Amino acid sequence: RKEVEQDPGPFNVPEGATVAFNCTYSNSASQSFFWYRQDCRKEPKLLMSVYSSGNEDGRFTAQLNRASQYISLLIRDSKLSDSATYLCVVMNSGGYQKVTFGTGTKLQVIP
Amino acid sequence: DARVTQTPRHKVTEMGQEVTMRCQPILGHNTVFWYRQTMMQGLELLAYFRNRAPLDDSGMPKDRFSAEMPDATLATLKIQPSEPRDSAVYFCASGLVLGGRPWDEKLFFGSGTQLSVL
């Protein structure tokens, strides 16, 4: 089983739709969680951190469920510019903070 | 804007040749990562340095890959000899980890090196 798993998609949604992605992780000791966004042929960039209490940034909401070991990203009112691959990132504690990326979920917002 | 700089942006080489990729992390960052990205595997961690010391290179094929940080401003990833299956985008990322605290700093990625081994 992979340490971090995501549905690769693609998710094809119309403009204005709400879309949600999940990401599961296998290490219960995982400590920090993030969503990164990667545009085609570009480097990944941080979209938002994921806090235990959940957090919101404009149209984006991230949630963490430690009991079920998954994090989610909700995008409301999708824009064409949201089209990208969304990468889930999990960081583990221990001797060093191991950083593991999911393979990403591709989102295509359609006019 | 502070940024991670990677060179070269593109590299085309023939099988068997040595390839060296360079990364200049953001000044003041104490962690450096090397990742490889392919369509099939996504982002794979190759090596991880903190304060220039290698902490994890378990994802790196040891027989042909090597990663070093000769100083705090330069990280290198070498492949010798290169093979067609090494064709991928190689990303370097840097970040700041403060001892004893959970990771709460984001990673900054370079633009990547697109490597093609013919």
Side-chain angles (χ1 to χ4, degrees):
Chain A
R1 181 186 173 187
K2 287 186 176 180
E3 290 185 58
V4 179
E5 295 200 67
Q6 294 184 252
D7 181 342
F11 284 57
N12 297 314
V13 302
E15 269 187 291
T18 296
V19 62
F21 310 133
N22 279 345
C23 166
T24 59
Y25 59 95
S26 60
N27 188 340
S28 58
S30 297
Q31 208 168 23
S32 304
F33 309 88
F34 304 84
W35 284 101
Y36 275 69
R37 169 189 169 135
Q38 187 174 23
D39 293 295
C40 188
R41 300 185 180 278
K42 298 283 190 182
E43 70 274 20
K45 292 183 179 178
L46 179 69
L47 178 65
M48 59 197 303
S49 304
V50 186
Y51 302 122
S52 296
S53 54
N55 49 300
E56 190 173 304
D57 182 2
R59 298 181 293 108
F60 298 82
T61 301
Q63 302 238 314
L64 167 64
N65 185 319
R66 286 192 184 273
S68 301
Q69 294 183 204
Y70 75 85
I71 66 173
S72 63
L73 177 68
L74 181 78
I75 306 175
R76 290 181 298 278
D77 188 22
S78 300
K79 312 289 185 192
L80 295 176
S81 57
D82 294 333
S83 298
T85 296
Y86 291 84
L87 302 164
C88 165
V89 180
V90 175
M91 298 188 183
N92 298 332
S93 58
Y96 71 95
Q97 280 86 350
K98 182 178 178 181
V99 182
T100 306
F101 280 76
T103 51
T105 298
K106 187 171 183 179
L107 172 66
Q108 185 70 48
V109 181
I110 304 164
Chain B
D1 269 355
R3 53 187 297 193
V4 176
T5 303
Q6 284 187 252
T7 56
R9 289 294 306 275
H10 304 275
K11 176 72 175 179
V12 180
T13 191
E14 292 186 346
M15 183 172 63
Q17 296 299 304
E18 177 177 302
V19 175
T20 299
M21 291 169 271
R22 293 178 173 79
C23 169
Q24 182 176 350
I26 291 173
L27 189 64
H29 280 185
N30 62 355
T31 59
V32 173
F33 297 81
W34 282 104
Y35 285 94
R36 173 171 64 183
Q37 188 172 40
T38 61
M39 290 293 292
M40 297 301 295
Q41 297 294 329
L43 272 165
E44 300 175 274
L45 177 65
L46 296 175
Y48 170 33
F49 291 80
R50 188 191 296 174
N51 297 323
R52 295 177 54 203
L55 291 191
D56 185 358
D57 60 2
S58 58
M60 198 164 65
K62 301 291 192 305
D63 56 339
R64 299 183 300 108
F65 284 59
S66 62
E68 296 179 346
M69 280 201 75
D71 62 61
T73 65
L74 177 64
T76 62
L77 180 66
K78 290 186 181 180
I79 308 175
Q80 169 62 27
S82 58
E83 297 180 1
R85 60 181 167 148
D86 300 330
S87 298
V89 179
Y90 290 80
F91 285 108
C92 172
S94 73
L96 179 64
V97 173
L98 300 177
R101 285 170 48 182
W103 185 293
D104 57 6
E105 293 287 341
K106 59 183 176 180
L107 291 181
F108 292 80
F109 280 79
S111 300
T113 294
Q114 173 77 58
L115 174 65
S116 297
V117 183
L118 306 177

